[in-house]
């Protein structure tokens, strides 16, 4: 099939490359000429494991191309995917759909023959109706069907998620559109990936509901972690205990500094606003949003408390800046609020991240950036693990202790991802502070 992918950002680029790898002919279109020039030169605008090799191979095979011009690609396409950004709108928190609607207008003027226009971007309920209205208003003769096909990709594992999905949700209102979408995803037949066909509005809401539920799960275990610290229980043991219940499941039960990234913060907020407008407020999701926002700043206070109540004049080293490992995405990363809180308290902050420092330098120019984990820790009074990159999971604790600042007391290790054993850290000479666990609670629970 011939596919036009409007938007060469995270979703568009990954989706386009994977569809090309299935054997489809894909053109990714983006308004940013510099991004297109970089892609044509083999340079990726984002970091995603395996993406550069996937793009390079499919370009070489002639199945994947990049362009800043929409007309020809859309005219030849069987399906046109809209995969542009839908950031939170300033002022009210609603999803900003201007890029989606602009794309719909431009697509309408280039359509030729029956075409399925697919909304891949995460959009509020009813957006597909508006996209269809815009297309038909712009081009009354268009033979078009508008479909919702939300993405469920995890940054850092997006290629595997696309090729081996739990499900494919298609919101289609007519049989011709459903047939085209089944053909698009036919290569996944051998993986037995279920295609769930629903009404268009149902598909749009499914995406928001999924993200809100996962965000609620993260927020729940984070609040349980705070309770564990207060009563002397171990949150990791609690998480295992409830996660073994098949009705609950073990995923997204890892206590930490709060969720961030390009999806959960904006999608939960957009869902809250949609529900309020519909007269059916989602009080639980509203609380999830509020608790998560407060938690990130609270992590700065946690670091300060672990440092004896003051960080003024001290050097605090942070390992990990991106909101999760295996991405360079700094959007709504907990590190932003943590660093701001530490700097407000008078600390000097030094940081290292394997992939995120280029973006971080733009957002936080007052931070000192190190070339590796050990250079980051050298001379620091406290070391904070913010993102659980694999490179941070087996650090030489003896070496860290020797290079960190010491006034005769044990250097402080604040592990916001619980990747180290408290007793082991103590044996290596650290004062350890985790999330939802103490040395005593871990010993009692046999962790």
């Amino acid at each position: 099939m011939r596919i036009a992918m409007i938007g060469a950002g995270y979703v568009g680029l990954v989706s386009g490359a994977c569809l090309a790898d299935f054997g489809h002919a894909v053109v990714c279109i983006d308004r940013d000429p510099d991004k297109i020039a970089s892609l044509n030169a083999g340079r990726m605008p984002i970091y995603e494991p395996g993406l550069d090799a996937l793009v390079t191979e499919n370009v070489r095979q002639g199945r994947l191309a990049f362009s800043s011009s929409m007309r020809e690609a859309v005219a030849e396409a069987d399906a046109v995917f809209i995969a542009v950004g839908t950031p939170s709108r300033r002022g009210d928190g609603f999803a900003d759909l201007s890029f989606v609607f602009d794309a719909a207008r431009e697509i309408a003027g280039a359509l030729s023959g029956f075409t399925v226009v697919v909304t891949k971007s995460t959009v509020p309920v009813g957006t597909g109706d508006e996209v269809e209205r815009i297309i038909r208003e712009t081009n009354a003769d268009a033979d078009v069907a508008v479909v919702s096909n939300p993405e469920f990709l995890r940054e850092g594992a997006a290629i595997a998620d696309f090729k081996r999905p739990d499900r494919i949700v298609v919101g289609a209102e007519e049989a011709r559109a459903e047939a085209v979408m089944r053909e698009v995803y036919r290569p996944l037949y051998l993986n037995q990936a279920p295609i769930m066909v629903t009404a268009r509005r149902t598909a749009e809401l499914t995406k928001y509901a999924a993200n809100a539920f996962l965000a609620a799960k993260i927020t729940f275990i984070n609040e349980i972690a705070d309770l564990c610290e207060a009563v002397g229980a171990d949150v990791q043991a609690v998480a295992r205990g409830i996660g073994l219940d098949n009705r609950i499941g073990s995923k997204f039960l890892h206590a930490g500094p709060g969720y961030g990234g390009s999806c959960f913060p904006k999608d939960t907020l957009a869902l809250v606003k949609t529900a309020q407008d519909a007269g059916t407020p989602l009080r639980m999701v509203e609380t999830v949003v509020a608790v998560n926002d407060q938690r990130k700043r609270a992590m700065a206070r946690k670091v300060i408390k672990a440092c004896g109540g003051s960080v003024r004049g001290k050097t605090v080293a942070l390992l990990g800046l991106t909101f999760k490992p295996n991405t360079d995405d700094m959007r709504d990363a907990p590190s932003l609020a943590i660093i701001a809180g530490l700097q407000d308290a008078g600390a000097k902050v030094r940081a290292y991240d394997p992939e995120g420092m280029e973006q971080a330098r733009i957002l936080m120019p007052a931070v000192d950036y190190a070339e590796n984990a050990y250079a980051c820790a050298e001379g620091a009074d406290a070391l904070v693990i913010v993102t659980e990159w694999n490179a941070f999971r087996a650090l030489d604790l003896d070496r860290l202790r020797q290079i960190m600042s010491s006034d005769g007391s044990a250097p402080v290790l604040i592990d916001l991802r619980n990747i180290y054993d408290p007793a082991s850290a103590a044996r290596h000479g650290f004062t350890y502070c985790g999330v939802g666990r103490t040395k005593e609670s871990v010993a009692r629970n046999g962790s």
Side-chain angles (χ1 to χ4, degrees):
M1 301 193 77
R2 302 190 71 83
I3 294 172
M5 186 69 63
I6 313 303
Y10 188 86
V11 172
L13 184 55
V14 171
S15 300
C18 288
L19 289 170
D21 208 45
F22 290 164
H24 300 307
V26 180
V27 180
C28 287
I29 300 148
D30 200 283
R31 285 181 172 178
D32 185 347
D34 292 336
K35 181 184 291 185
I36 295 300
S38 293
L39 286 166
N40 281 324
R43 298 189 300 272
M44 298 301 104
I46 58 170
Y47 174 75
E48 175 67 29
L51 182 60
D52 52 352
L54 189 69
V55 168
T56 299
E57 176 60 17
N58 281 281
V59 168
R60 188 182 71 81
Q61 294 285 351
R63 294 189 296 260
L64 180 63
F66 303 100
S67 176
S68 56
S69 175
M70 186 184 297
R71 182 163 293 274
E72 182 179 352
V74 169
E76 295 179 351
D78 301 297
V80 180
F81 285 75
I82 299 175
V84 297
T86 55
S88 293
R89 193 166 63 191
R90 287 188 177 183
D92 60 12
F94 281 90
D96 182 351
L97 299 176
S98 58
F99 299 116
V100 173
F101 296 153
D102 286 348
R105 290 185 188 93
E106 197 167 349
I107 289 166
L111 292 171
S112 176
F114 176 66
T115 310
V116 177
V117 175
V118 186
T119 305
K120 197 72 173 168
S121 303
T122 300
V123 295
V125 175
T127 301
D129 298 352
E130 183 64 11
V131 168
E132 183 170 358
R133 187 197 66 77
I134 288 171
I135 291 174
R136 297 197 184 282
E137 182 181 78
T138 306
N139 183 355
D141 297 326
D143 188 9
V144 66
V146 176
V147 166
S148 173
N149 176 218
E151 55 84 17
F152 299 96
L153 306 180
R154 295 169 298 161
E155 292 190 42
I159 294 171
D161 284 350
F162 195 98
K163 292 188 172 184
R164 290 179 289 279
D166 296 324
R167 76 292 200 200
I168 300 160
V169 177
V170 174
E173 303 292 335
E174 61 174 280
R176 288 190 303 168
E178 179 183 337
V180 168
M181 295 304 293
R182 288 189 181 277
E183 186 64 20
V184 167
Y185 288 108
R186 186 177 57 81
L188 290 175
Y189 173 76
L190 291 177
N191 294 342
Q192 297 184 326
I195 297 180
M196 176 182 169
V197 180
T198 72
R200 192 164 58 201
R201 286 186 168 224
T202 301
E204 291 169 340
L205 185 54
T206 298
K207 167 64 175 181
Y208 275 113
N211 278 359
F213 188 85
L214 295 174
K217 208 171 176 184
I218 293 169
T219 303
F220 173 81
I221 201 63
N222 283 341
E223 291 209 306
I224 291 295
D226 293 343
L227 179 60
C228 285
E229 290 182 12
V231 301
D234 175 13
V235 72
Q236 290 194 302
V238 171
R240 283 197 297 274
I242 65 175
L244 289 170
D245 186 328
N246 290 331
R247 296 168 300 174
I248 297 173
S250 60
K251 293 182 179 180
F252 287 82
L253 287 179
H254 302 287
Y259 61 76
S262 63
C263 294
F264 286 3
K266 74 176 181 67
D267 292 351
T268 49
L269 186 57
L271 182 60
V272 163
K273 298 300 182 180
T274 298
Q276 289 172 349
D277 265 10
T280 57
L282 300 177
R283 300 302 186 199
M284 192 175 86
V285 183
E286 290 175 5
T287 301
V288 165
V289 172
V291 169
N292 190 69
D293 286 345
Q294 295 161 10
R295 183 169 189 80
K296 296 175 186 178
R297 185 78 177 194
M299 291 298 99
R301 297 194 293 272
K302 185 180 185 72
V303 173
I304 294 168
K305 181 179 179 181
C307 292
S310 174
V311 291
R312 187 163 299 281
K314 294 182 178 180
T315 297
V316 179
L318 266 70
L319 295 183
L321 295 169
T322 54
F323 85 97
K324 65 182 290 188
N326 296 322
T327 181
D328 59 353
D329 198 339
M330 287 293 302
R331 285 174 286 186
D332 279 297
S335 63
L336 298 172
I338 294 170
I339 288 173
L342 293 174
Q343 290 176 329
D344 288 347
K348 178 183 178 182
V349 177
R350 189 185 305 136
Y352 169 70
D353 187 280
E355 293 292 340
M357 290 197 294
E358 182 178 347
Q359 296 297 322
R361 282 189 174 96
I362 299 170
L363 299 170
M364 299 179 291
V367 172
D368 290 336
Y369 294 94
E371 61 184 12
N372 57 56
Y374 297 102
C376 184
E378 189 167 0
D381 299 283
L383 181 66
V384 187
I385 298 174
V386 181
T387 312
E388 67 278 30
W389 286 89
N390 285 338
F392 302 152
R393 290 179 178 274
L395 295 169
D396 185 335
L397 296 183
D398 286 330
R399 179 181 175 187
L400 284 175
R401 187 194 68 249
Q402 292 166 8
I403 63 176
M404 288 178 66
S405 177
S406 176
D407 56 3
S409 58
V412 180
L413 173 60
I414 300 102
D415 182 3
L416 298 183
R417 298 293 181 173
N418 290 342
I419 61 177
Y420 284 93
D421 173 60
S424 176
R427 285 197 302 270
H428 285 87
F430 284 92
T431 297
Y432 177 90
C433 175
V435 176
R437 61 208 304 248
T438 64
K439 183 169 65 175
E440 292 76 17
S441 70
V442 169
R444 283 197 298 270
N445 287 288
S447 297

